[in-house]
Amino acid sequence: MTTIVEPMAPAAPQTMAPATSHGKQVATKSMTIALGGGVALEWYDWTVYGMMASFLSPLFFPSSDPTTSLLAALAVYGAGFLARPVGAAILGPIADRISHKRVMMVSVTAMALCSLLISVLPGYKELCVVAAVILLLVRLIQGLATGAEAGVANAIAIELAPPGEEGRYLGLISGTFIQLGVFASSLVAFLVSASVAPETMHEWAWRLPFAVGGVLGLLIIYLRSKLPETLIKHVMHRDELSRTQETTGHVWKTLWSVRLSLLAVILVVGAVQIANYAWNAGLPNLANGVFKENSTWVYGITTLMGLIWIVTAPFVGAFADKIRPSRAFTLLRLLLVACFFLTLVYSEKSIFTFFFVMVFGGAIVGFNMALYNFIATTLMPRAVRTTGIAVGYALGVSLFGGTSPYLLVWLQHAQMAWMFPVYGSVVAVLSVVVYHVAKKRGHVYIGD
């Protein structure tokens, strides 16, 4: 079995970051906070819509059937994912050719401004169908902005990670900080819901979590402006898979040459995102919108699950460093197959059942969430790392994650709930198979 270990290039002279003997920059605490904080904010802004969908649905998509309104709101949620591959295709090559940092700044700024807009956007009563159209356009802009975020953040993180601790560091940036953003969205939702009367929550208080994300964005924009540029334009090894590409055409040509890696990234991301959005959006909205559970308890339980994800992510990454990433990935992904079937347990109103599925099943989902970004990053060579991860990530999330909450609620409503865990399990198994085929053919570019 051949594993390609990609040579690390010397750091660009303009950066002031310290370097190791391998020529890699090493993150300082301030860099980690700036990079991770931006990741957290993007995920807060993205996730908070899913958290609030059951409250904004009757205001923007009024209907005599609450499930119909909720499905319309979730459809807009899913539509935002469709823009992510477009954003990845546009911004990814720019990041690989010109600047990681500039693309990162565009992304976080757009997310913050869009959240502020949603917080003040009038509903159907004031603007009729125009309100829904504007909401859809805002989510599409957020999709474009986040299209390159995963690729840029992971490309920067892998250059800043201490040698031999890539799994732990990626677990921190793309595990803990992502989950910190998700956790913050559920925590803010919980605090707002617990502080106001239920009718107030439905009328206007659901807007507050969006406003919080927009305001915090101003701080993150400032912190990210202090990050170094990690794009390395001049390398000692001039092969196609390590050098910076001269044109966008060269980026796509090189990416096509590693298309098996791209397929693997899509499936590695897609399988875990089915579970991620089922647990963070599908199940909470099923509880709030269909089973009419107490929303404060629902958000409290979801927040507890997020706390577990935050704490465990670096340990999962360190575990992968110790036993080899491929082994850790295979073990955790097969556990995810069994986890999908826990969604069948929550078939009627019961806050205790909801707690069991969210906390115990959610822990397994969280372990997979801590590792998948690192595994995706190892599958892409430096020359197209941002584009490859961004496109693969966007396609995986758009095709699988974005549709997950809708499918979960719709299949439950149509008395076909059993189809959801079967679907998730098939994609999870495929991700393991394609990953190992890619690995066997030498498409692992960071040591395993």
Side-chain angles (χ1 to χ4, degrees):
M1 182 179 297
T2 302
T3 301
I4 299 174
V5 180
E6 184 180 335
M8 294 298 178
Q14 67 269 28
T15 180
M16 297 302 292
T20 71
S21 59
H22 293 276
K24 289 181 64 172
Q25 301 174 66
V26 178
T28 63
K29 288 183 179 180
S30 61
M31 289 180 191
T32 299
I33 292 172
L35 179 60
V39 170
L41 176 68
E42 298 243 8
W43 278 87
Y44 173 94
D45 286 337
W46 188 259
T47 306
V48 76
Y49 180 97
M51 289 288 176
M52 295 294 107
S54 60
F55 293 102
L56 62 83
S57 59
L59 299 179
F60 287 87
F61 309 98
S63 172
S64 58
D65 182 3
T67 302
T68 300
S69 294
L70 177 57
L71 288 174
L74 291 177
V76 170
Y77 185 61
F81 289 89
L82 298 178
R84 294 181 79 154
V86 179
I90 295 172
L91 298 175
I94 294 174
D96 276 325
R97 293 181 49 241
I98 299 173
S99 173
H100 289 158
K101 183 177 177 179
R102 292 178 189 175
V103 170
M104 184 174 58
M105 293 296 293
V106 168
S107 179
V108 71
T109 301
M111 288 299 292
L113 292 178
C114 285
S115 283
L116 282 175
L117 179 57
I118 293 176
S119 72
V120 298
L121 182 63
Y124 185 90
K125 185 177 180 180
E126 293 80 17
L127 299 180
C128 297
V129 72
V130 174
V133 172
I134 294 175
L135 184 64
L136 174 61
L137 290 175
V138 169
R139 288 298 293 177
L140 290 175
I141 292 171
Q142 287 188 316
L144 289 170
T146 57
E149 170 65 18
V152 173
N154 288 336
I156 293 175
I158 207 66
E159 294 294 342
L160 298 179
E165 298 182 32
E166 287 86 357
R168 182 194 63 81
Y169 194 73
L170 266 293
L172 177 65
I173 297 298
S174 296
T176 293
F177 277 103
I178 282 180
Q179 301 318 319
L180 184 61
V182 175
F183 168 80
S185 68
S186 61
L187 177 61
V188 171
F190 167 74
L191 293 175
V192 172
S193 179
S195 301
V196 301
E199 58 271 18
T200 304
M201 188 70 183
H202 282 276
E203 289 173 2
W204 63 267
W206 62 267
R207 297 178 182 273
L208 294 178
F210 290 99
V212 169
V215 172
L216 286 177
L218 301 177
L219 173 62
I220 297 302
I221 290 168
Y222 170 76
L223 291 175
R224 278 200 163 182
S225 69
K226 304 300 182 182
L227 279 172
E229 175 60 72
T230 58
L231 178 63
I232 301 172
K233 295 186 177 182
H234 304 287
V235 298
M236 291 166 33
H237 303 273
R238 301 300 296 176
D239 60 280
E240 190 72 9
L241 296 181
S242 63
R243 64 174 180 158
T244 302
Q245 306 297 280
E246 297 176 357
T247 67
T248 298
H250 282 106
V251 172
W252 292 113
K253 180 180 178 181
T254 303
L255 185 60
W256 178 251
S257 71
V258 293
R259 55 191 176 276
L260 180 60
S261 289
L262 180 61
L263 177 60
V265 171
I266 293 171
L267 292 172
V268 165
V269 172
V272 75
Q273 292 299 339
I274 294 173
N276 175 38
Y277 285 100
W279 262 258
N280 271 304
L283 288 170
N285 277 295
L286 187 67
N288 283 328
V290 177
F291 295 144
K292 305 299 181 183
E293 304 277 12
N294 183 296
S295 64
T296 301
W297 280 104
V298 169
Y299 290 132
I301 291 168
T302 306
T303 300
L304 175 61
M305 181 189 73
L307 183 61
I308 295 171
W309 291 17
I310 290 170
V311 172
T312 58
F315 296 101
V316 173
F319 173 69
D321 287 330
K322 183 176 181 179
I323 73 165
R324 296 175 62 177
S326 59
R327 292 175 181 173
F329 168 71
T330 302
L331 172 63
L332 293 178
R333 192 53 58 98
L334 293 180
L335 285 175
L336 186 65
V337 171
C339 179
F340 275 117
F341 287 89
L342 286 178
T343 59
L344 296 178
V345 176
Y346 188 55
S347 58
E348 59 184 12
K349 182 175 181 178
S350 170
I351 198 66
F352 297 105
T353 303
F354 181 77
F355 174 87
F356 172 79
V357 173
M358 291 293 287
V359 173
F360 292 96
I364 296 175
V365 178
F367 297 157
N368 279 269
M369 287 292 291
L371 191 61
Y372 81 103
N373 268 303
F374 176 43
I375 297 299
T377 303
T378 67
L379 287 163
M380 279 294 155
R382 171 177 280 160
V384 291
R385 186 165 290 152
T386 301
T387 304
I389 298 171
V391 171
Y393 191 101
L395 288 172
V397 172
S398 300
L399 295 174
F400 300 104
T403 57
S404 178
Y406 186 95
L407 282 175
L408 180 66
V409 174
W410 180 76
L411 289 171
Q412 179 84 327
H413 185 64
Q415 307 296 316
M416 296 186 294
W418 62 270
M419 292 184 66
F420 184 82
V422 172
Y423 161 66
S425 298
V426 168
V427 179
V429 171
L430 279 175
S431 71
V432 173
V433 172
V434 176
Y435 168 80
H436 280 283
V437 171
K439 184 175 184 294
K440 186 175 181 180
R441 296 185 182 181
H443 290 298
V444 171
Y445 299 94
I446 298 172
D448 183 55

